[in-house]
Amino acid sequence: MSEHSSYHEAPDTLATPPPGCPMHANWSPLDDDYLVDPYPIANALRDEHPVFYAPDLGHVVVTRMEDIDEVFMNPDVYASTNVQDPIYPLADEAAAVLATPDFNPVAVMSNKPEPDHGRIRVYTRQGFSNRRLKSLEGYMGDRATVLLDQMVANGSPAEFVKALAFPLPAEIVFRFLGFPPEDDVMVKSWCANRRAFSWGMPTAEEQVEIAEGMVSYWRYCRDFVAQRRDERTDDFTSELLDAHDADPDPTNGTGLSYQEVESIVYGFSFAGHDPVTALLCNTLLCLLPRRDQWDALCADPSLAAAAVEETLRYESSQISWRRVTTQDTTLGGIDLPAGTRLYLNFASANHQPDLFENPETFDIHRHRPNRHISFGKGIHFCVGNGLARMEARIALELLSQRLPSLRLVEDQQLTYFPNITFRGPDALHLEWEGDPA
């Protein structure tokens, strides 16, 4: 089945909650007040009904860490097959674009169930080896320095998303895959607005534009993999092709097909950089208003990793994920029939007071902030978590050492692209004093 075959159909929606399941008829993660600040609302929802039905989504919402853990750790009962599906039905015009015969990526990562997920994950995990990450670390620092130099040269104030937070993680994942730098602008344009497609409520016209970009990007990835098939180099795509050559038959339980290589390259584009853009912005949004913590980081850049980890808990760039039940089961005391779609609310779980002392306080000295759920858990724990953490740490070290006077522009109105899962500001305006270090 194509990874995107479900785009051609409207997702199934439960018209009524499962028997005995509480319902919040007036709540949606796309509500304006929730998009502005989800945490107080998510906490109240968790405290009132840990498991409840949201009719606007057609999902049962799971809010407590222990129940989310149970879902992640039991993939045979709670399948990942719906995580990339559009939350709302696609317009016929967009479905027609994606129905083109040569748009045929297959599920390989977050929406691939066992046993194939484990087979493919062996190869993707190898791509994020310490050797590969170490080889990228120098490039990350060099490229971040160039982008920061350009931002400083253009003068204060600056818009951070455009200047650094978007281009840096995008270019890193493109180098990781092996895409040539001269293609960056084109590839970035195709990756834009994927959040809207699967996790938002785009108009029919927007859906068609995004779908056309997805098809163009798939064709680019397919052509790139074909080129790498004949001209190998030291990049992740070449590693995947080497693995395919060594064991090309997935039906034996260990091999990797050529179409799966194409699909892995295609899938890593969005997953590999858009959430990191949000993480870079969210880290500054947490640190800069708290000058004692920012000053502590400037004095001791080794605190950068802890600051990133606390941001992942306190203001995560991914505040939900999805699953669907494969059989009748019980979760949080609620009986769920097979086919129940679940919305896992990371925002409420990461602020759970019995797990995190003073959870509404941002503290870079917090003990064990990495108990958060922002990268998932179990077999679907984010394979790129090390890369994301490294990118954010390097950028934060550089910013704190070069621009200790950095601060948020006052009275700016932050806006967040309306979607149910990914959270980061559309723009972030920064200013500083004097010349950089």
Side-chain angles (χ1 to χ4, degrees):
M1 177 183 292
S2 166
E3 180 176 9
H4 302 290
S5 62
S6 57
Y7 289 169
H8 298 224
E9 303 172 358
D12 294 332
T13 302
L14 292 172
T16 57
C21 184
M23 180 171 66
H24 279 287
N26 299 319
W27 174 81
S28 166
L30 293 173
D31 291 341
D32 289 342
D33 54 351
Y34 195 81
L35 291 170
V36 169
D37 187 2
Y39 295 97
I41 299 171
N43 291 337
L45 293 171
R46 180 197 62 230
D47 294 343
E48 182 178 355
H49 295 301
V51 179
F52 66 90
Y53 179 73
D56 184 68
L57 289 178
H59 282 61
V60 168
V61 180
V62 184
T63 65
R64 294 187 306 192
M65 186 73 80
E66 52 266 41
D67 295 325
I68 294 174
D69 281 350
E70 182 175 344
V71 170
F72 276 123
M73 298 308 292
N74 290 279
D76 292 339
V77 179
Y78 305 98
S80 63
T81 49
N82 65 328
V83 299
Q84 302 285 346
D85 291 351
I87 193 71
Y88 295 108
L90 284 189
D92 291 342
E93 304 94 313
V97 173
L98 297 179
T100 184
D102 68 332
F103 183 71
N104 60 343
V106 295
V108 288
M109 294 191 295
S110 60
N111 59 340
K112 188 68 172 179
E114 291 298 303
D116 287 326
H117 173 266
R119 171 180 57 82
I120 295 170
R121 188 178 176 88
V122 169
Y123 299 104
T124 57
R125 188 171 57 239
Q126 289 172 351
F128 287 95
S129 66
N130 289 335
R131 184 195 70 83
R132 174 66 63 197
L133 293 182
K134 194 68 176 177
S135 71
L136 283 170
E137 187 170 8
Y139 175 81
M140 293 181 198
D142 292 345
R143 189 59 187 148
T145 299
V146 169
L147 291 169
L148 181 57
D149 286 345
Q150 293 172 350
M151 185 179 87
V152 170
N154 289 331
S156 174
E159 199 288 289
F160 183 63
V161 174
K162 182 178 180 180
L164 193 148
F166 179 75
L168 179 65
E171 291 169 15
I172 288 171
V173 79
F174 297 159
R175 299 296 85 74
F176 174 77
L177 292 168
F179 295 167
E182 58 267 25
D183 291 348
D184 283 354
V185 173
M186 178 176 61
V187 177
K188 287 176 192 175
S189 70
W190 290 330
C191 295
N193 293 330
R194 281 290 304 279
R195 286 172 298 176
F197 204 75
S198 292
W199 299 280
M201 194 186 297
T203 66
E205 182 178 357
E206 290 168 337
Q207 290 178 26
V208 169
E209 181 180 358
I210 299 167
E212 289 173 344
M214 291 166 64
V215 172
S216 295
Y217 180 54
W218 167 249
R219 290 169 177 163
Y220 173 88
C221 291
R222 188 186 57 202
D223 292 344
F224 175 75
V225 173
Q227 177 188 359
R228 275 293 182 267
R229 181 177 52 191
D230 300 326
E231 302 172 9
R232 306 290 168 89
T233 186
D234 185 18
D235 57 37
F236 183 48
T237 304
S238 296
E239 287 186 9
L240 291 171
L241 286 165
D242 289 344
H244 164 71
D245 290 346
D247 194 355
D249 183 9
T251 63
N252 65 15
T254 60
L256 188 68
S257 75
Y258 184 78
Q259 190 178 19
E260 286 171 340
V261 173
E262 295 175 321
S263 300
I264 292 170
V265 172
Y266 173 76
F268 263 81
S269 61
F270 175 80
H273 72 81
D274 200 75
V276 182
T277 294
L279 175 58
L280 293 173
C281 292
N282 292 346
T283 303
L284 293 183
L285 281 171
C286 290
L287 281 167
L288 293 180
R290 299 168 174 89
R291 297 311 291 187
D292 59 330
Q293 300 204 41
W294 175 254
D295 291 343
L297 173 65
C298 292
D300 181 6
S302 69
L303 291 171
V308 170
E309 210 64 43
E310 175 68 344
T311 302
L312 287 164
R313 182 201 70 83
Y314 182 85
E315 184 67 90
S316 178
S317 53
Q318 182 171 327
I319 59 171
S320 76
W321 210 228
R322 288 181 281 165
R323 287 293 186 267
V324 60
T325 58
T326 63
Q327 60 191 55
D328 295 351
T329 189
T330 300
L331 181 68
I334 303 297
D335 293 332
L336 305 175
T340 300
R341 295 192 298 162
L342 303 180
Y343 176 92
L344 310 179
N345 195 321
F346 295 175
S348 56
N350 282 338
H351 283 232
Q352 202 164 306
D354 60 333
L355 297 178
F356 303 99
E357 185 178 358
N358 299 321
E360 304 311 312
T361 298
F362 179 85
D363 181 7
I364 62 175
H365 302 287
R366 178 179 298 279
H367 177 61
R368 293 183 63 197
N370 60 353
R371 290 180 295 168
H372 62 73
I373 198 69
S374 300
F375 286 123
K377 193 170 184 176
I379 65 170
H380 284 281
F381 184 72
C382 176
V383 71
N385 73 90
L387 181 63
R389 285 173 160 125
M390 181 182 289
E391 291 177 59
R393 173 183 60 77
I394 288 172
L396 193 55
E397 289 171 348
L398 184 63
L399 287 163
S400 64
Q401 298 310 292
R402 293 280 303 279
L403 293 174
S405 65
L406 194 67
R407 60 180 179 268
L408 303 177
V409 171
E410 292 184 3
D411 300 325
Q412 61 179 299
Q413 298 298 312
L414 299 176
T415 60
Y416 294 84
F417 190 88
N419 75 103
I420 67 169
T421 291
F422 297 103
R423 177 170 172 78
D426 297 322
L428 184 64
H429 297 276
L430 306 175
E431 59 187 3
W432 60 91
E433 298 172 355
D435 295 328

